[in-house]
Amino acid sequence: GGKSRRRGKNDADPVKRELVFKEEGQEYALVVKMLGNGRVSAKCFDKETRIAQIRGSMRKKVWINVGDIILVSLRDFQDNIADIILKYNPDEARDLKTYGELPEDTKIEDNEAGSDEEDNDIEFDIDEI
């Protein structure tokens, strides 16, 4: 196969998807640390820290970073391990906060706008020649 077999298409999801709320046996969480091998350390909003496994259908398609808000499915037989169901983009996370689903002190990092660095008001004097 050619390049299309090796590399995925750059499909930025321009269509707005429907906001998914948590159900029974699910919890919102904040990614604290990347552990490797498709696992993350996630601080759930029920005051528990769990190891969350990125599910197979999300593994190479949805990139999860530290500071992301995710939806995890809790395991009834292992309380300290969960499975990541969904990653919320920053706009959806802000909507969840306004609906009162997330605590008010939750910091939502806008990772996509990381390239916009602030200007620190540094002026350079260039002498004319």
Side-chain angles (χ1 to χ4, degrees):
K3 286 184 184 176
S4 63
R5 298 281 181 260
R6 278 183 265 146
R7 213 177 299 136
K9 302 222 176 5
N10 191 5
D11 280 343
D13 198 9
V15 256
K16 253 189 126 148
R17 62 182 183 193
E18 188 176 329
L19 191 60
V20 179
F21 294 105
K22 73 174 182 178
E23 296 173 7
E24 184 71 32
Q26 296 176 351
E27 191 63 51
Y28 302 112
L30 176 72
V31 177
V32 177
K33 186 177 182 183
M34 301 299 292
L35 299 175
N37 200 21
R39 296 174 304 142
V40 301
S41 177
K43 178 81 173 153
C44 296
F45 291 119
D46 61 353
K47 308 288 189 270
E48 287 279 330
T49 301
R50 294 183 172 92
I51 293 176
Q53 181 85 32
I54 301 173
R55 67 183 193 157
S57 63
M58 293 176 68
R59 213 162 215 170
K60 291 191 176 172
K61 298 172 185 70
V62 179
W63 293 106
I64 295 178
N65 299 310
V66 174
D68 286 340
I69 304 290
I70 55 175
L71 180 66
V72 295
S73 172
L74 305 176
R75 296 182 179 181
D76 15 342
F77 53 94
Q78 290 174 313
D79 191 44
N80 60 340
I81 297 179
D83 300 299
I84 298 177
I85 298 174
L86 184 79
K87 173 191 166 189
Y88 292 105
N89 61 33
D91 293 333
E92 292 171 332
R94 273 188 222 95
D95 289 345
L96 283 174
K97 201 171 173 181
T98 56
Y99 286 129
E101 294 284 320
L102 302 180
E104 286 299 318
D105 59 342
T106 306
K107 271 185 114 178
I108 298 169
E109 296 180 21
D110 200 356
N111 291 336
E112 286 127 74
S115 60
D116 299 335
E117 295 183 15
E118 294 179 13
D119 191 12
N120 292 334
D121 295 330
I122 300 173
E123 295 181 17
F124 295 101
D125 291 333
I126 302 173
D127 297 332
E128 294 180 21
I129 300 175

